Amino acid sequence: METQGWVAVSFVLGAAVAVIVALVFRSRANKRWKTTLEERENAAEAERKALAAGAERAHAAFDERQRELVRTTEARLEQLARAHDEELQRRQLVLERHQQQARRSLEYELISRAAILQSCATLGLDGVLATNTCILVEEGLSTNRYVMQIDHVLITTAGALIVEHKRWRGTIFDGIRPSAASASYKNLIDDSRLDPPFAVQIAPRGGPFRGSEEEAGGLAVRTHLGSKSPRKQVRAQAVHLSEHLDEQLGGAPWIDTCVFYSSSDATVFTETRTGTTPEDQTAVVAGEREFLDLLVLRERTKRERLDRDLVERIAALLHTGGAKIDSFGAFSHGPAAILASQIDPPMDTPAAPAMADAPLG
């Protein structure tokens, strides 16, 4: 009996010890858990603060980039605005220069147009004059295009004649070296390297021009070489006009070419005078008297005559290219006369004598 009591007491004590041990372990576990939780909370708070600080830095950097972008954009816009204004001013100057050139060109065309019509009226010719014809030229690739402008195309039954008009003043050497005309020009210009085709103009300085210029005292020496020379230009016009007529009309007549220096203030030296050049060369004439002689020579040339229908069709085609049409003689009545009555573009010059039926406005 006494033994059973000690067993029970021992059991109770053992159970109590076990409970105490369990409570101790549980308390320690709770402490470790709380410590771990606090550490995690501290780590999370530190991470949050680090993220917040990083976000603030990123936001500050973003704001700075935005401000820098705004500054850069504003500076670029100001630069573009200045460039735009400068380009507008440049284009305005170019436009004004082209307008001045166009006005001068129109004035020159009116002068030569009146002279050509006067010569045709004097000889009593029958035909059509197309002034300021434009042709779209395509060379090589289809993207290589440009517009070729032809001063005058005179079409009579004797054939077609392209007239390249120059209102140059001063002394002009077309195809002949200045030193060959007079030894005194050797001191003014070195012409040893000039090879035809070329044109040299010696005139008082001032005014716009095309070509290269050298100064010699109070004079300007202007050289027009190769493709810039008048004869080269007019031959190129003849080639492209012939191709254009052939393409559009199925054939083209022979096209003569002429450089017409019309200024009374010009003295022209050239080796090619009216009546002295083969058909495949360009005539160079100075003044209305020589141009009249050229027309006389052409009318006397033994060549197949153009029929009226072909002249009318050529006139209609050139009119579609923007040409101002004048008809005279037997062509004062008919389709060409109708085209001549259309003011496109307006060119107001006095009517030439014996041209009563040929609208010139």
Side-chain angles (χ1 to χ4, degrees):
M1 186 69 178
E2 185 176 348
T3 302
Q4 291 179 347
W6 280 109
V7 171
V9 172
S10 298
F11 179 78
V12 171
L13 289 175
V17 171
V19 171
I20 291 171
V21 171
L23 290 174
V24 171
F25 277 107
R26 184 175 180 181
S27 176
R28 289 180 177 178
N30 288 339
K31 287 181 179 180
R32 286 196 300 271
W33 179 81
K34 288 181 179 180
T35 300
T36 302
L37 182 61
E38 290 177 356
E39 291 175 352
R40 289 181 178 178
E41 288 178 350
N42 292 335
E45 180 64 19
E47 184 178 1
R48 185 189 65 78
K49 290 181 178 180
L51 290 175
E56 289 180 359
R57 289 193 297 271
H59 185 71
F62 177 76
D63 289 343
E64 180 59 28
R65 285 196 297 270
Q66 276 194 320
R67 288 191 293 271
E68 181 63 25
L69 180 61
V70 169
R71 289 192 295 268
T72 303
T73 302
E74 290 177 348
R76 179 58 177 165
L77 289 176
E78 291 178 0
Q79 181 182 6
L80 290 175
R82 288 194 300 271
H84 181 262
D85 292 340
E86 292 173 357
E87 178 65 15
L88 283 180
Q89 293 177 1
R90 186 191 67 81
R91 292 189 178 187
Q92 184 64 31
L93 292 175
V94 171
L95 177 60
E96 291 175 358
R97 184 165 62 250
H98 282 310
Q99 288 174 339
Q100 292 174 358
Q101 291 176 350
R103 284 192 291 268
R104 285 191 297 271
S105 177
L106 181 59
E107 292 173 358
Y108 296 161
E109 288 173 0
L110 292 175
I111 293 171
S112 54
R113 170 175 170 260
I116 294 171
L117 291 175
Q118 176 66 59
S119 297
C120 293
T122 300
L123 298 177
L125 302 182
D126 304 322
V128 173
L129 176 65
T131 299
N132 196 25
T133 298
C134 294
I135 299 175
L136 179 62
V137 177
E138 298 185 9
E139 294 183 345
L141 298 176
S142 60
T143 55
N144 187 17
R145 301 177 178 178
Y146 63 94
V147 175
M148 171 173 283
Q149 185 269 342
I150 303 175
D151 291 346
H152 305 284
V153 182
L154 176 63
I155 314 162
T156 67
T157 55
L161 171 67
I162 293 180
V163 180
E164 174 72 6
H165 175 238
K166 298 299 182 185
R167 190 69 177 172
W168 294 357
R169 60 194 179 106
T171 305
I172 301 166
F173 303 89
D174 191 318
I176 184 171
R177 292 185 175 90
S179 59
S182 174
S184 60
Y185 290 109
K186 288 184 177 180
N187 298 326
L188 190 63
I189 178 176
D190 180 10
D191 59 11
S192 59
R193 296 184 179 181
L194 291 180
D195 293 318
F198 66 83
V200 177
Q201 179 190 11
I202 302 176
R205 293 186 60 81
F209 62 91
R210 290 182 178 180
S212 59
E213 180 180 282
E214 299 176 8
E215 184 176 358
L219 299 176
V221 180
R222 300 164 184 171
T223 56
H224 308 258
L225 308 176
S227 62
K228 299 297 183 180
S229 66
R231 279 193 284 177
K232 190 71 173 182
Q233 289 177 344
V234 73
R235 286 311 306 169
Q237 293 170 8
V239 171
H240 290 299
L241 178 59
S242 179
E243 293 174 350
H244 183 60
L245 294 178
D246 186 60
E247 178 182 353
Q248 299 297 323
L249 303 180
W254 176 264
I255 301 175
D256 293 314
T257 52
C258 165
V259 177
F260 180 19
Y261 295 103
S262 65
S263 176
S264 59
D265 297 329
T267 301
V268 180
F269 294 89
T270 181
E271 84 286 2
T272 56
R273 278 307 197 209
T274 302
T276 63
T277 59
E279 284 188 339
D280 62 347
Q281 293 186 0
T282 297
V284 178
V285 296
E288 297 180 18
R289 178 71 258 178
E290 289 190 7
F291 183 76
L292 187 67
D293 293 341
L294 172 63
L295 294 186
V296 172
L297 178 65
R298 292 184 72 254
E299 292 300 318
R300 293 176 179 175
T301 301
K302 294 181 179 181
R303 184 187 296 169
E304 183 179 354
R305 297 282 163 168
L306 303 184
D307 59 45
R308 182 186 182 99
D309 178 65
L310 179 57
V311 174
E312 296 278 9
R313 288 194 295 143
I314 293 176
L317 179 61
L318 298 184
H319 183 262
T320 62
K324 164 64 182 168
I325 301 298
D326 290 289
S327 59
F328 46 88
F331 290 87
S332 297
H333 304 281
I338 297 175
L339 297 177
S341 65
Q342 301 178 13
I343 307 176
D344 183 24
M347 303 179 74
D348 301 319
T349 56
M355 302 290 287
D357 297 326
L360 299 179

